[in-house]
Amino acid sequence: MTDMALKGADLIFTTSFGYMDPTINVAAKFPNVKFEHATGYKQADNVSVYSARFYEGRAVQGHIAGHMTKSNIIGYIGSFPIPEVIRGINSAYIHAKKVNPDVQFKIVWAYTWFDPTKEADAAKVLIEQGADVVLQHTDSTAPQAAAQAAGNVITFGQASDMAAYGPMPRVSSIIDNWAPYYIARTQAVMDGTWTSTSTWDGIGAGMVGIGEISSAVPADVKASAEALRDSLADGSYHAFTGPLNKQDGSAWLAAGETASDYGDDSLAGMNFYLEGIEGDVPN
């Protein structure tokens, strides 16, 4: 970042949670350079933050997974135990549970965003534990390949569509669509209108895309999943709507109450599993 700023960059995007403090520190030294940090929460006069409500897409995936699992065991490959990933696990779980009360989640942490070997190993472990659906919050297609080799295991694309693995094992996907945001923020710097902002958009704004639901998904499940997607997009439904309890049984959201973005026990700082998920959030 320092090298970029010294070489005359007017705008620097730092695109991972772990860059948060370095971004703030470097930005303080270069007040005339604009910084955009992805998935973080620390702002400054020349530092904006932006993220996507991937948990909305996880709700759709959980809905499909709960309907389609035959073993009632759903595997989940986590990258890092940060709020973004924990939100996704919780959202997928509660929406799978809504349509299949017998569903169980097994979670393996890969501690990487992209490492095909680690991701493949994680998928194989989950399949060996009985998972016939594998969700991932990592970005390679290795879990898709592992599922394809195992046979009769369903997966979902992450970040990109991964449609080459359709109609099975990949039955849908979450697609990151950052381009409109990047273009708008770059144009704002060029126009001299850039200000520090916090942006958190989802399906409705087009920042989170839901990949085509494949023919491997029964027509009625596809229709209900698309209805869920549309209700999340138009705001008529919130993925975290009570009653919901924390993992220890303590109340989190009352009936009809929806989660707040910021504040105590908010989505932005989510560091806990919801009731029914087994295991501990890694520290």
Side-chain angles (χ1 to χ4, degrees):
M1 289 180 234
T2 299
D3 186 57
M4 291 174 177
L6 288 172
K7 288 179 178 177
D10 298 308
L11 173 64
I12 298 173
F13 289 91
T14 60
T15 60
S16 191
F17 182 82
Y19 297 146
M20 179 166 60
D21 287 336
T23 300
I24 292 294
N25 294 338
V26 175
K29 300 174 185 177
F30 297 94
N32 294 324
V33 179
K34 313 303 183 187
F35 292 79
E36 296 272 351
H37 178 233
T39 73
Y41 54 84
K42 293 183 179 180
Q43 287 181 249
D45 288 345
N46 61 330
V47 180
S48 284
V49 292
Y50 65 99
S51 189
R53 295 182 186 272
F54 297 117
Y55 65 82
E56 293 182 345
R58 303 292 174 201
V60 177
Q61 290 185 347
H63 178 88
I64 296 171
H67 274 294
M68 296 195 69
T69 178
K70 295 180 174 60
S71 67
N72 292 329
I73 298 175
I74 295 172
Y76 204 112
I77 304 171
S79 48
F80 296 94
I82 61 174
E84 173 192 343
V85 181
I86 296 167
R87 286 193 298 269
I89 293 170
N90 283 329
S91 180
Y93 176 77
I94 59 178
H95 288 87
K97 194 82 170 176
K98 281 185 178 181
V99 300
N100 182 351
D102 297 324
V103 81
Q104 177 186 4
F105 265 37
K106 293 186 179 294
I107 302 162
V108 171
W109 292 96
Y111 293 98
T112 181
W113 292 111
F114 185 95
D115 186 322
T117 300
K118 287 183 178 180
E119 294 175 63
D121 288 344
K124 291 171 184 175
V125 166
L126 292 167
I127 293 167
E128 287 170 0
Q129 292 178 350
D132 60 355
V133 180
V134 175
L135 287 78
Q136 65 185 89
H137 202 143
T138 53
D139 294 345
S140 90
T141 58
Q144 317 291 323
Q148 190 174 64
N152 298 315
V153 177
I154 293 165
T155 61
F156 295 84
Q158 156 66 20
S160 60
D161 197 30
M162 302 184 184
Y165 286 89
M168 275 284 287
R170 172 255 177 238
V171 297
S172 186
S173 59
I174 293 177
I175 303 168
D176 302 355
N177 184 20
W178 300 115
Y181 181 81
Y182 290 160
I183 292 168
R185 299 302 283 166
T186 302
Q187 190 66 54
V189 172
M190 295 167 68
D191 294 342
T193 60
W194 188 99
T195 58
S196 178
T197 58
S198 175
T199 301
W200 199 2
D201 286 336
I203 295 174
M207 192 174 273
V208 178
I210 302 298
E212 182 180 3
I213 300 172
S214 83
S215 59
V217 178
D220 61 332
V221 176
K222 178 178 179 179
S224 59
E226 289 176 339
L228 174 59
R229 175 200 64 196
D230 294 345
S231 67
L232 289 161
D234 67 20
S236 59
Y237 173 70
H238 192 291
F240 291 102
T241 301
L244 290 171
N245 293 336
K246 294 184 178 181
Q247 187 184 46
D248 62 7
S250 62
W252 180 46
L253 297 175
E257 183 182 8
T258 58
S260 62
D261 284 350
Y262 302 100
D264 294 340
D265 290 341
S266 67
L267 293 177
M270 182 173 274
N271 61 358
F272 55 88
Y273 287 145
L274 294 181
E275 189 173 46
I277 298 180
E278 299 175 3
D280 298 323
V281 176
N283 187 5

